Amino acid sequence: MHILLIGSGGREHAMAWKLAQSHEVSRISVAPGNPGMLHDAKITQVPLEVSDIDGLRNFALTQDVHLTVVGPEAPLVAGIVDDFSAHDLRIFGPHKAAARLEGSKAFAKDFMARNNIPTAAYDTFTELDAAQAFIEKHGAPIVIKADGLAAGKGVVVAQDKQEALTAVESMLGGQFGEASAQLVIEEFLAGEEASFIAVVSGRDCLALASSQDHKARDEGDTGPNTGGMGAYSPAPVVTDAVHTHVMKDIVQPTINALADEGMPFTGFLYVGLMIDKQGQARVVEYNVRLGDPETQPLMMRLQSDLLPLLDHAVDGSLPEASIEWREGSAIGIVMAAGEYPAGSSHGKPISGIEDAESGQCKVFHAGTRLVDQQLVTAGGRVLCVTATGDSLAQAKQRAELGAACIFWEGCRYRRDIGHRAL
Ligand code: AMP
Ligand code: GLY
């Protein structure tokens, strides 16, 4: 079977790598993909951008594609699933209406409020005066969020009032264009974060293993927020009791409410959680796709075939699917440009990946490019070095040995991924 996978990051490399292991899969076309994927004979890159819905649909229509799988959020929010469905093409991901859970934070908060799904208290704003008055009234710490997609940069956790006031002024002043014309301002939640991802098909769902990512750039979870500097699975904070509570009080009510409100969800539902000391979880954000970099360690741990899971979800037979995980842990350490997250690296030769992989690592590419057969940097997050182990400590040691083999001018990575679980 021929699979079309949309995206080009580390998440998509890990998904392609896993799908290629399926006996049912003969060919995977990744649009636009990255050169790391080409080591697998089943995988080819297709020069179509993730925003080119016409091009992607015409490819699927003419190339006998069995299933299209969407990696990133932007095409989902733009309505690629609605378009493909209108052409009777099988595609894994939510329709545009449900993708607003990620595409608009105000939509997501209002959805949670009317469906009693636990989350931080909030209000929404389009006017500076009202936003300033709200901050004056509630004080800090307080959290300011741009309503729309801002590549993970639209959230400011303000530790003092001045920082909050500066953030609302610049966001409402057009910092993220349309995406910050509306703001959500919400209560600061204390606790430990975890990523809880489920495969969803209408009112049915199957949880993936728990994971946790590190959003801050620097060690000790300090420095600016990024898309994610590393992740591991499982996340011990998600105990059996927390898992049961999250399924019962958050995931199932979310997908039931989506179905009740006429926007049934198919795809990966990612619930970003804040879990307090009593084990009570609240929703920090919804994403309508897999996490990056959570996917890289998750795919390393996933023992069963990925394709039947996606096929069952698309066909409405998810209760027939099952999922098996390897015991032990997996970790992914992101190697990023020194300039990241403010900037990125371009054209710097990368060395040492073969050495890293001759050990016990798998290196997933994100921001890389081939120029005259030389692999060079082409982005902010460049690689994700992953490894499994009997314990998180062992997985971490293996991944760090791998990362130490790899070099380009200006590369950086955190040496403390997983510290909360160690
Ligand atoms: P988001 O894009 O909504 O996930 O926010 C990015 C990051 O900001 C989250 O992963 C949290 O670390 C932090 N954050 C967001 N909302 C809150 C909140 N209400 N309280 C504390 N931290 C938050
Ligand atoms: N790692 C967080 C995200 O994918 O949104």
Side-chain angles (χ1 to χ4, degrees), residues 71-340:
E73 63 278 12
L76 296 167
V77 171
I80 192 170
V81 173
D82 306 64
D83 182 286
F84 273 49
S85 303
H87 289 85
D88 288 326
L89 290 166
R90 295 174 76 253
I91 183 165
F92 181 83
H95 286 95
K96 186 176 182 171
R100 285 180 296 173
L101 281 186
E102 178 165 1
S104 165
K105 293 199 187 281
F107 174 86
K109 295 296 290 191
D110 292 346
F111 171 86
M112 286 186 270
R114 69 177 173 267
N115 290 295
N116 297 313
I117 292 162
T119 187
Y122 75 104
D123 220 328
T124 57
F125 300 90
T126 51
E127 301 298 329
L128 187 57
D129 296 358
Q132 285 167 332
F134 186 85
I135 290 165
E136 290 296 346
K137 179 165 167 225
H138 290 272
I142 194 163
V143 183
I144 321 292
K145 301 185 172 186
D147 176 60
L149 296 180
K153 293 172 194 154
V155 175
V156 173
V157 180
Q159 294 305 334
D160 59 64
K161 234 162 51 174
Q162 194 46 53
E163 193 185 352
L165 291 168
T166 306
V168 294
E169 205 171 316
S170 60
M171 285 198 206
L172 286 175
Q175 186 184 4
F176 300 109
E178 255 316 289
S180 65
Q182 179 168 222
L183 305 182
V184 167
I185 305 184
E186 69 178 28
E187 168 199 7
F188 173 82
L189 300 176
E192 186 168 346
E193 284 185 74
S195 306
F196 196 104
I197 306 173
V199 180
V200 175
S201 175
R203 291 171 201 271
D204 298 320
C205 69
L206 203 52
L208 303 188
S210 64
S211 57
Q212 187 171 115
D213 79 341
H214 292 267
K215 290 209 169 86
R217 185 189 63 193
D218 303 326
E219 281 161 26
D221 295 321
T222 57
N225 241 332
T226 71
M229 294 298 289
Y232 57 98
S233 171
V237 66
V238 183
T239 59
D240 289 348
V242 169
H243 178 101
T244 303
H245 152 56
V246 171
M247 287 298 280
K248 175 172 149 288
D249 299 323
I250 294 176
V251 176
Q252 197 66 53
T254 296
I255 66 176
N256 287 348
L258 286 165
D260 291 341
E261 294 188 9
M263 41 187 166
F265 192 101
T266 299
F268 291 112
L269 179 67
Y270 169 132
V271 189
L273 298 171
M274 189 69 81
I275 301 163
D276 70 16
K277 287 207 167 65
Q278 287 73 42
Q280 289 301 307
R282 288 199 274 176
V283 178
V284 169
E285 64 165 342
Y286 287 117
N287 294 319
V288 297
R289 48 157 177 92
L290 285 175
D292 189 344
E294 290 93 326
T295 304
Q296 292 84 316
L298 283 172
M299 291 301 116
M300 294 288 280
R301 280 194 68 211
L302 180 59
Q303 185 122 42
S304 44
D305 194 338
L306 178 59
L307 182 64
L309 194 61
L310 307 182
D311 272 338
H312 277 302
V314 168
D315 295 339
S317 53
L318 192 58
E320 290 167 36
S322 62
I323 188 161
E324 282 160 52
W325 300 95
R326 275 191 191 89
E327 291 296 321
S329 288
I331 196 169
I333 298 174
V334 169
M335 298 189 72
E339 300 84 347
Y340 183 69

Side-chain angles (χ1 to χ4, degrees), residues 15-64:
M15 293 169 84
W17 171 81
K18 182 65 196 174
L19 284 167
Q21 291 166 30
S22 171
H23 298 303
E24 292 182 58
V25 173
S26 53
R27 178 179 169 207
I28 305 170
S29 298
V30 194
N34 70 50
M37 301 172 178
L38 302 178
H39 294 293
D40 196 303
K42 287 184 185 177
I43 306 177
T44 48
Q45 280 184 266
V46 180
L48 290 169
E49 291 306 318
V50 305
S51 56
D52 182 5
I53 295 182
D54 289 340
L56 293 164
R57 179 223 310 126
N58 290 335
F59 181 89
L61 281 171
T62 55
Q63 301 292 315
D64 192 25

